[in-house]
Amino acid sequence: MQRILFILVFPLIICCQNISPDQAVAEVLNNLHLYAAEAKGPEYFNLFAANAIFLGTDIGERWEKKSFQEYGLSRFETGKGWTYHMSERNIYFSDDDQICWFDELVRNDKYGQLRGTGVLKLVNQEWKIVQYNLVLPMPNDLLPKYAQEIKEFYKEE
């Protein structure tokens, strides 16, 4: 009797544990922000593919995973991470459901609202971040003023 019950219930358990690709990607991105806020370095960097790139807000912040991980782990060891709260997210998938890209609005207490964009791919049935790009959106009316200041900062003509 127990064997029959197991045979009937086991497929139901397996079936119910499947989550949609949207949910799986959202979980990765939610964990990205959670692990950063909790300074959980190994968990945070496990979300990234081996060849991942993280683009920060500064023009010089193009981090390959290894360099970003060295920086991040040393910071997380202090018990401090960084906290961003997602308020809006859009996720899109390739026709073969192996790649997805997203954009999200996130809020930080110090910097206010920022935009994160990126790409994930399926690696051994797990979604991994291939690229994450964090930018500070700027109102068009403020762009000329701040663009000039940025050019002067980088000593551009």
Side-chain angles (χ1 to χ4, degrees):
M1 178 65 173
Q2 288 179 333
R3 186 179 189 136
I4 294 172
L5 186 58
F6 177 79
I7 292 170
L8 294 173
V9 173
F10 185 73
L12 182 61
I13 291 171
I14 297 300
C15 175
C16 293
Q17 289 181 346
N18 288 337
I19 62 174
S20 73
D22 277 332
Q23 291 171 312
V25 168
E27 185 175 309
V28 169
L29 296 172
N30 290 341
N31 284 338
L32 178 77
H33 300 307
L34 176 66
Y35 298 154
E38 294 178 349
K40 291 184 174 179
E43 294 88 343
Y44 180 83
F45 289 104
N46 188 48
L47 299 172
F48 290 86
N51 62 344
I53 300 291
F54 186 94
L55 301 165
T57 56
D58 189 281
I59 199 166
E61 291 182 321
R62 184 186 188 279
W63 302 84
E64 293 181 357
K65 181 181 179 179
K66 183 179 178 190
S67 298
F68 185 48
Q69 189 167 351
E70 289 171 4
Y71 162 77
L73 288 176
S74 67
R75 178 160 172 180
F76 290 157
E77 285 174 3
T78 69
K80 294 184 181 182
W82 44 85
T83 303
Y84 293 92
H85 302 281
M86 188 273 301
S87 61
E88 182 181 318
R89 181 179 291 146
N90 300 292
I91 300 172
Y92 310 92
F93 291 88
S94 62
D95 291 340
D96 64 0
D97 290 328
Q98 301 295 301
I99 303 284
C100 81
W101 55 98
F102 68 93
D103 62 86
E104 61 183 6
L105 295 177
V106 294
R107 182 159 190 76
N108 174 275
D109 289 342
K110 184 176 180 180
Y111 301 116
Q113 193 149 324
L114 294 100
R115 176 174 289 126
T117 65
V119 178
L120 288 84
K121 70 176 179 178
L122 264 180
V123 178
N124 298 323
Q125 301 306 308
E126 281 187 275
W127 286 102
K128 296 288 185 178
I129 299 166
V130 178
Q131 184 184 84
Y132 193 95
N133 185 12
L134 185 65
V135 297
L136 177 63
M138 184 177 304
N140 287 334
D141 290 344
L142 298 178
L143 185 59
K145 174 185 174 186
Y146 290 108
Q148 185 59 40
E149 286 188 36
I150 292 168
K151 285 170 60 175
E152 289 171 11
F153 179 85
Y154 289 114
K155 299 179 182 18
E156 295 178 10
E157 303 260 338

